[in-house]
Amino acid sequence: MEDSWDDSWSVGVVANWILFDGHRTRSEGAVVRSERDALIAQRAEADRQIVLEVETARLDLAAALEAVPAADDSHAAAAARELASRERYDAGLAPIQEMLDAQSDLADAELEQIRIRTSAWISAAALDRACGR
C-alpha cells in the first residue's frame, strides 16, 4: 500500500425545516398545560381534604371532651340515687324494684361514662393521625 494524496473531497450539509406540522406542536403543548392544570387541581383537592380531616377530627375531639363532664355528673347523680334507694330499701320504705332500677341506672351511667371517655381517646388519636403524628 502506497501513500497517495487524494485531492478530491466532498462535504455535505443537510437542513430540515418543518413549515407546517398540522398543529401537532400546539396540541402537545395544550396537552402538557392540561396535565399541569389537572395536577394543580388534584393537589388543591388533596390539601382541602387534609384540612377537612384535621378540622373534623378537632371538632370530634372538642365534642367528646365537652361530653365528659356531663357523663361524670350523670354518674354522680346515678350513684347518689342508688345510695338513697338502697338506704330506703334497707329501712323498709322502698320496694326492691326501686333499688334495682337505681342500680340499673348507675350501671348505664358507668357504661356511658366509659363510652364517652373512649370516644375522646379515639378522637384524640384520630386528630394525631390527621396531623401526621
Side-chain angles (χ1 to χ4, degrees), residues 76-89:
R81 179 171 177 246
E82 191 272 334
L83 178 63
S85 68
R86 187 174 348 113
E87 289 174 353
R88 285 174 37 96
Y89 176 74

Side-chain angles (χ1 to χ4, degrees), residues 87-106:
E87 289 174 353
R88 285 174 37 96
Y89 176 74
D90 289 344
L93 300 173
I96 186 88
Q97 184 65 33
E98 180 183 315
M99 187 179 73
L100 292 175
D101 286 343
Q103 288 175 346
S104 175
D105 290 344
L106 178 59

Side-chain angles (χ1 to χ4, degrees), residues 28-87:
E28 287 174 354
V31 167
V32 169
R33 284 189 297 279
S34 297
E35 290 173 350
R36 180 201 62 207
D37 293 345
L39 288 173
I40 289 170
Q42 286 175 353
R43 179 173 179 189
E45 178 63 17
D47 290 345
R48 188 189 68 79
Q49 286 178 352
I50 289 169
V51 168
L52 179 65
E53 183 179 353
V54 169
E55 184 63 16
T56 301
R58 186 189 66 76
L59 291 173
D60 287 347
L61 178 59
L65 291 176
E66 289 290 325
V68 169
D72 291 344
D73 292 344
S74 176
H75 177 263
R81 179 171 177 246
E82 191 272 334
L83 178 63
S85 68
R86 187 174 348 113
E87 289 174 353

